[in-house]
Amino acid sequence: MNGRTAGRISAILGLALVALGTSVAPAEEPARSPLERPEFPALVRLHVPGRAGLDAMENAGFDLTGGLTRVPSGFEVDALVTPEQRRALTRFGARILAPGQGFRWPDPAESQRRADALLADLDRPAFVLDSVKIGRVDSFTTKGQGFISVEAKSTQGSTPQLILLWDAGEGTVVGTGGRAVMSAFVDSGVYMYHRILTPVDARPSQVMVVSTFGSTATGYPSDWLYPVEALIHGEGYRSDFIDGYKDPTQLYARLEQIAEEYPDITEVVTLPHTTNGYRRKAQATMGSGNSAVVVSSTAWGHEGGNDITVELAAPQGGAPLGVTIDGNAITVQLATGSTAQQVIAALNAEAGDLVTAHTYRGNTGTGAVAATGPVALTDFLQAPPSVSREPFPVRALRIGKEPRDEPRTGVLVIAQDHAREWVTPLVALEAAERLVQNAATDPETQRIIEEVDVFIVPSNNPDGSHYSRHDFSSQRRNMTNHCGEVDSDPGRRNSWGVDLNRNYRVGSGYDGYSGASTSCISNTYLGPGKLSEPESQNVIGLVEQYPNIKFFMTIHSNGGQLFWQPGAYIAEGRITTPRPEMRDEAYYWQMAERILSHVKAYQDTPVRPDNVGGSADVLYSSAGNVREDLYNNYGVYAFGWEIGGSVWNPDTGSWQSGSFQPAWPQAHGEMMEYASGVVEMFRIAADHGDDQEPATTSIVPGEGTYAGPVDVRFQMSEPATIYYTIDGSRPTFASSRYRTSGIREDGEALPVAQTTTFKWFSVDPAGNIEGGYDPDGQDEGYRQATITITGPQPAPRVSRR
Ligand SMILES: [Zn+2]
């Protein structure tokens, strides 16, 4: 790096720090040890060459904060890095990006030139060497600009180049709209598919993918997201109830107020466990190096710890080392040459009721202690007294007309598992306000109130969130210190806590899944055990107490993404947590489109299709996240959101990422648009509860006589699980399930080479079974169709099953 670059980067770091409001450590009394100063990380944008590096950084405790973008050469991501971590970046192949240095989608003209060069060079091989299958083809617009997003897979993996051609609209020739080279998406060493997102002048009606290995495939764009008129709700629908950021004390005060104002349709449900509380032991670090002594109060700071002083008094003649206590004032009379170890032993023996003492970060403590103080112990907490220091009762606002219990469909929305994501609780609270304040007048809201059992937890991490609001804005985790002595000095106070969204049981870091750290000072610390924290126990407790909860959303920021399962994998072999079965994957997509169309309605922000799906597929592995637990253990459709970010800027022609604590106008916009998505989730739950209609299904091509082998697929009127047999037996829940042909792909093709009778039934997401068939009974009310093959029979072959 040359001097000029270095200068530029430090200028950028300075800016980033100012933007975070963390450029200056809080003022401390001059007498205090510099060792008490916490490290202040800087926000930077990184380039990381591959998934392996990204995972390794997560596991090593790097704080990858958001704005993750997949670029052809790897990833770009925002990160908070300490000076020590910055020096370690090269170990992961990562580098800091200066503004303007980041990836830009290739200029369409340049991309087209490359595509045309490849097409011109394309020697049609004598044999076609691969087969290309087109997955998703999505068309959408934002801020006046059209885009297509295409995913396609070659049977030869990432080796061939794939070129996308599209037409200029109905009736035009494919290729006249434009041509571009797709990027191969290889994840943790596994080829996923090729993909591209490209601006278009006109909505294409047809696309073609040409492989340099000779094959081609044709696809037809679907519209991603649909226009929503005034939130479905009619004139007079009220919204926009929140005018600024709120800390959990303020959020829960409003929650209680709502319950008082609307007693007929709300109640406050107190979750089973209180948090540890916004509180710390009072501490001081005295001295330095091997002579440093770390002292911590046995009482919490606010319960007397903050009143304690410790003085290390200079040796007097030949007096021996001794400790005197006068009320809360501890005086250590040093002897000549008293070492830190000796002082610590004396403090623990003589003042153990008031304090404990240990060496600094594992030092031996053999250095001679210098006279110091008196120094007041402090918990360093800066929130006003209006913020309680007691364990915090986390609550859910339960909304609905009584009785709210089964058979009502339950929806649980939680926000702010990560403390610094300040917009997220406002999204949850705004959604609650919309329900209660429109309940008397708006028919769609009345339907939700009558048919759905809503639970809203505006801040599931109140301690960490108070800390983020009042002490350290970049706090992500809860406030609980699980570190031993070595990392428990006050200089570490911004590095303690459990990442609540790594503390769950399915796909846990304890079982080898990627994306969580076992270091108690890492920002992705998974906790001392699965479900060790009251905050995560609360979510599980609520879902167990209310088994009617069928839908779940955890709101995070930022990135502009909507996730479900799989959300974690074991890096070696890329073994993911269970993939949702075909019905659930299709249902997730259907719900996503509804939710995100409502998000887009407010200010034309499209959450892009390439940012939607299993988070392990579209972002990275998050070991032990809540979504995996709720879906796999309780069958809850469990979404996770990264709100904010990925907003198209027509002036710069680029996608912009968001931030944790944007200026209010931007925060307000995000709150408004995503609250609309939450309300749409409630409507989805109402529809789910109303759903008495089973899916109707058929096979394609249909029953009939065919001259040769055919590929059979099932078609369905809505997402459904199909259980089928081809051996003449009655289909049951133990029969084969119809599956997708691959990740983010449609239903598989079932090759039929000889006459075959399919017998099947379907089950929709609400559990309705097609035709009233009883799979456990004796009736013959299943569907059936026979494919008769008359043509020349191929040689006997081994069945694919
Ligand atoms: Zn988060």
Side-chain angles (χ1 to χ4, degrees):
M1 180 190 294
N2 64 36
R4 217 181 59 204
T5 313
R8 256 176 38 218
I9 289 175
S10 53
I12 294 143
L13 292 179
L15 278 177
L17 285 165
V18 170
L20 268 178
T22 56
S23 61
V24 187
E28 279 155 23
E29 299 161 45
R32 304 203 71 100
S33 165
L35 296 181
E36 290 181 345
R37 248 173 244 146
E39 284 191 321
F40 279 82
L43 179 67
V44 295
R45 187 143 182 90
L46 296 179
H47 177 272
V48 187
R51 178 72 59 134
L54 206 62
D55 287 337
M57 288 176 72
E58 276 262 302
N59 291 336
F62 273 83
D63 189 4
L64 307 177
T65 58
L68 188 98
T69 312
R70 206 187 296 130
V71 300
S73 57
F75 294 87
E76 291 177 9
V77 65
D78 297 329
L80 277 166
V81 296
T82 60
E84 190 183 325
Q85 286 175 325
R86 193 181 314 173
R87 287 189 291 276
L89 284 176
T90 49
R91 259 203 289 141
F92 305 93
R95 66 189 160 84
I96 294 173
L97 294 165
Q101 251 187 7
F103 172 74
R104 289 172 150 263
W105 292 93
D107 172 57
E110 163 63 15
S111 181
Q112 185 154 311
R113 199 191 53 70
R114 278 178 53 221
D116 289 347
L118 278 173
L119 288 169
D121 279 355
L122 196 63
D123 283 330
R124 283 262 158 221
F127 300 98
V128 173
L129 299 174
D130 71 344
S131 160
V132 167
K133 186 166 173 189
I134 295 183
R136 298 191 61 87
V137 185
D138 293 294
S139 161
F140 65 93
T141 62
T142 179
K143 321 276 184 200
Q145 177 64 57
F147 289 89
I148 47 170
S149 170
V150 180
E151 299 168 2
K153 200 167 187 171
S154 165
T155 49
Q156 292 300 315
S158 62
T159 316
Q161 301 231 46
L162 300 190
I163 302 131
L164 178 75
L165 300 87
W166 61 95
D167 68 15
E170 208 66 58
T172 62
V173 175
V174 174
T176 54
R179 285 86 62 201
V181 183
M182 302 179 75
S183 310
F185 169 27
V186 177
D187 185 61
S188 202
V190 175
Y191 169 66
M192 305 286 286
Y193 43 82
H194 281 73
R195 64 180 278 276
I196 189 167
L197 173 74
T198 183
V200 293
D201 294 333
R203 184 195 184 284
S205 66
Q206 193 177 343
V207 303
M208 180 185 275
V209 173
V210 176
S211 164
T212 51
F213 277 22
S215 65
T216 62
T218 299
Y220 303 91
S222 306
D223 286 318
W224 172 245
L225 309 183
Y226 53 84
V228 173
E229 306 280 335
L231 298 171
I232 307 287
H233 312 278
E235 294 247 329
Y237 184 78
R238 299 182 60 208
S239 64
D240 202 356
F241 296 100
I242 299 164
D243 57 9
Y245 286 124
K246 290 184 189 305
D247 78 8
T249 298
Q250 297 164 320
L251 289 165
Y252 280 95
R254 179 57 196 153
L255 183 136
E256 296 285 349
Q257 209 177 15
I258 291 174
E260 267 171 40
E261 285 172 31
Y262 301 91
D264 295 345
I265 53 168
T266 63
E267 70 175 298
V268 173
V269 175
T270 303
L271 303 194
H273 308 279
T274 54
T275 65
N276 187 57
Y278 174 78
R279 55 184 179 177
R280 288 259 162 93
K281 299 295 170 66
Q283 292 190 297
T285 300
M286 305 170 80
S288 62
N290 258 342
S291 59
V293 175
V294 178
V295 185
S296 308
S297 61
T298 52
W300 297 105
H302 69 288
E303 290 177 344
N306 288 338
D307 303 328
I308 297 170
T309 60
V310 177
E311 179 174 9
L312 306 177
Q316 291 186 351
L321 177 66
V323 175
T324 55
I325 301 170
D326 178 10
N328 286 311
I330 302 170
T331 304
V332 179
Q333 176 61 61
L334 298 173
T336 304
S338 290
T339 65
Q341 263 177 0
Q342 291 166 334
V343 168
I344 287 163
L347 275 168
N348 287 332
E350 305 295 329
D353 287 349
L354 287 177
V355 297
T356 60
H358 59 80
T359 60
Y360 179 78
R361 298 197 186 173
N363 281 350
T364 55
T366 50
V369 170
T372 316
V375 172
L377 304 196
T378 169
D379 61 12
F380 295 93
L381 297 180
Q382 296 169 52
S386 56
V387 171
S388 165
R389 267 61 175 171
E390 296 308 309
F392 195 94
V394 185
R395 283 148 282 169
L397 183 66
R398 190 179 185 197
I399 307 174
K401 210 167 242 169
E402 291 191 74
R404 289 177 269 269
D405 299 291
E406 300 231 50
R408 298 267 185 91
T409 307
V411 182
L412 170 59
V413 177
I414 72 168
Q416 209 170 23
D417 253 351
H418 292 150
R420 64 194 176 197
E421 299 165 6
W422 288 4
V423 186
T424 64
L426 308 184
V427 173
L429 187 61
E430 167 73 14
E433 298 274 11
R434 288 188 194 179
L435 287 192
V436 297
Q437 303 216 32
N438 291 293
T441 50
D442 175 58
E444 269 305 306
T445 305
Q446 279 160 357
R447 189 166 81 97
I448 294 166
I449 300 280
E450 277 163 22
E451 299 182 9
V452 183
D453 192 7
V454 171
F455 297 84
I456 294 177
V457 178
S459 178
N460 193 44
N461 180 7
D463 302 342
S465 301
H466 280 126
Y467 197 70
S468 173
R469 287 284 291 165
H470 301 291
D471 299 278
F472 174 54
S473 63
S474 295
Q475 178 77 13
R476 165 182 168 99
R477 295 169 278 160
N478 73 4
M479 262 183 86
T480 306
N481 176 11
H482 289 289
C483 295
E485 280 183 7
V486 171
D487 288 306
S488 284
D489 64 275
R492 288 285 200 226
R493 65 186 181 273
N494 290 346
S495 307
W496 300 324
V498 175
D499 183 342
L500 298 176
N501 206 25
R502 301 292 183 277
N503 190 231
Y504 291 83
R505 299 164 296 180
V506 175
S508 166
Y510 282 113
D511 297 322
Y513 286 81
S514 256
S517 172
T518 52
S519 163
C520 68
I521 56 168
S522 157
N523 238 337
T524 54
Y525 176 49
L526 78 179
K530 295 176 189 175
L531 229 52
S532 59
E533 303 307 290
E535 295 90 342
S536 38
Q537 290 167 19
N538 274 338
V539 173
I540 298 299
L542 199 61
V543 168
E544 290 191 344
Q545 192 183 345
Y546 299 97
N548 59 323
I549 292 175
K550 197 73 199 148
F551 299 93
F552 171 81
M553 175 72 83
T554 172
I555 310 175
H556 290 256
S557 71
N558 60 87
Q561 286 130 344
L562 182 61
F563 299 139
W564 50 85
Q565 298 74 41
Y569 56 69
I570 296 168
E572 183 70 40
R574 201 181 185 284
I575 301 161
T576 65
T577 51
R579 266 176 199 288
E581 62 166 303
M582 185 177 173
R583 173 192 69 189
D584 291 353
E585 175 77 6
Y587 191 41
Y588 269 128
W589 276 104
Q590 195 181 69
M591 291 189 279
E593 182 138 28
R594 284 183 63 171
I595 293 166
L596 297 176
S597 292
H598 281 75
V599 170
K600 185 172 188 267
Y602 183 69
Q603 51 187 10
D604 204 16
T605 306
V607 172
R608 298 181 340 226
D610 58 308
N611 280 333
V612 174
S615 62
D617 294 343
V618 301
L619 190 72
Y620 49 61
S621 177
S622 309
N625 73 72
V626 61
R627 288 171 275 121
E628 310 300 301
D629 203 319
L630 296 193
Y631 178 74
N632 288 292
N633 284 334
Y634 303 97
V636 173
Y637 291 107
F639 286 101
W641 237 340
E642 295 284 345
I643 69 166
S646 205
V647 174
W648 177 254
N649 182 337
D651 298 332
T652 60
S654 62
W655 294 92
Q656 289 183 340
S657 57
S659 59
F660 294 126
Q661 295 141 19
W664 182 246
Q666 190 189 336
H668 174 261
E670 290 175 11
M671 170 190 89
M672 291 295 288
E673 61 191 357
Y674 285 93
S676 299
V678 172
V679 172
E680 184 60 12
M681 246 186 111
F682 301 146
R683 292 183 67 237
I684 288 170
D687 293 347
H688 183 87
D690 287 346
D691 184 2
Q692 311 280 327
E693 268 310 294
T696 55
T697 59
S698 57
I699 59 169
V700 179
E703 176 158 282
T705 303
Y706 301 91
V710 292
D711 280 347
V712 169
R713 291 183 170 82
F714 283 98
Q715 268 189 347
M716 48 199 92
S717 60
E718 63 170 312
T721 303
I722 291 174
Y723 297 85
Y724 70 96
T725 66
I726 52 170
D727 63 0
S729 63
R730 255 184 113 250
T732 68
F733 289 116
S735 303
S736 299
R737 291 181 194 202
Y738 187 57
R739 298 174 303 188
T740 59
S741 52
I743 297 170
R744 297 165 78 85
E745 289 177 14
D746 287 342
E748 61 188 329
L750 304 169
V752 174
Q754 48 197 316
T755 299
T756 300
T757 297
F758 286 86
K759 296 182 176 180
W760 76 92
F761 66 94
S762 69
V763 186
D764 77 2
N768 297 305
I769 298 179
E770 193 170 2
Y773 175 60
D774 177 9
D776 297 324
Q778 301 295 321
D779 67 288
E780 296 190 343
Y782 46 78
R783 303 286 319 278
Q784 73 172 26
T786 299
I787 301 284
T788 305
I789 309 285
T790 58
Q793 299 286 310
R797 46 174 279 181
V798 177
S799 162
R800 274 175 46 141
R801 301 207 72 81

